[in-house]
Amino acid sequence: QVQLVESGGGLVQPGGSLRLSCKASGSIFSISTMGWYRQAPGKQRELVATVTSGGSTNYADSVKGRFTISGDFIKNTVYLQMNSLKPEDTAVHYCQAFVRTLFGRPRDYWGQGTQVTVSS
């Protein structure tokens, strides 16, 4: 089994910053990609950013220039630095990892989600 545990969400004013962290643990052989997705009320889950073990990153257009994703694939941890936050960033943010375990086929694993609320 693989578990992903997020931390760092909360309430912040517009223009503020937050840093999300997510650590994967369990029967992990390797992780090739980690990322962050978010889901606002009444909307579908959407990509925020991903990072590969090779260091390649991908961002949603809506967060480019404001958010920075980084990964430590030795510690199986991914971070999301969020700056210049806007009310439209309000959502539950989910950590994702594509994991090859000691048993079974590689697949996506998800965290439970952490709430980010941007409001004055």
Side-chain angles (χ1 to χ4, degrees):
Q1 275 289 23
V2 175
Q3 299 82 36
L4 275 64
V5 178
E6 302 112 331
S7 62
L11 173 65
V12 64
Q13 292 186 342
S17 297
L18 283 175
R19 187 179 190 235
L20 305 183
S21 301
C22 171
K23 181 172 177 59
S25 62
S27 304
I28 298 170
F29 180 76
S30 65
I31 299 177
S32 58
T33 303
M34 299 190 79
W36 292 93
Y37 291 72
R38 67 188 182 187
Q39 187 167 17
K43 295 187 177 182
Q44 291 188 331
R45 189 174 297 189
E46 63 178 7
L47 167 75
V48 177
T50 61
V51 59
T52 70
S53 57
S56 297
T57 58
N58 182 46
Y59 294 92
D61 288 342
S62 60
V63 307
K64 283 180 181 177
R66 300 188 298 123
F67 291 9
T68 302
I69 190 170
S70 59
D72 183 335
F73 287 82
I74 301 298
K75 296 181 178 179
N76 295 330
T77 301
V78 63
Y79 307 95
L80 185 69
Q81 178 66 42
M82 304 185 292
N83 298 329
S84 302
L85 282 160
K86 304 176 181 180
E88 50 263 45
D89 295 316
T90 296
V92 178
H93 285 64
Y94 296 92
C95 176
Q96 167 268 340
F98 189 74
V99 181
R100 179 180 296 276
T101 63
L102 300 176
F103 315 97
R105 303 176 65 178
R107 70 173 183 91
D108 280 327
Y109 289 86
W110 295 88
Q112 291 298 307
T114 184
Q115 178 69 45
V116 172
T117 302
V118 185
S119 175
S120 54

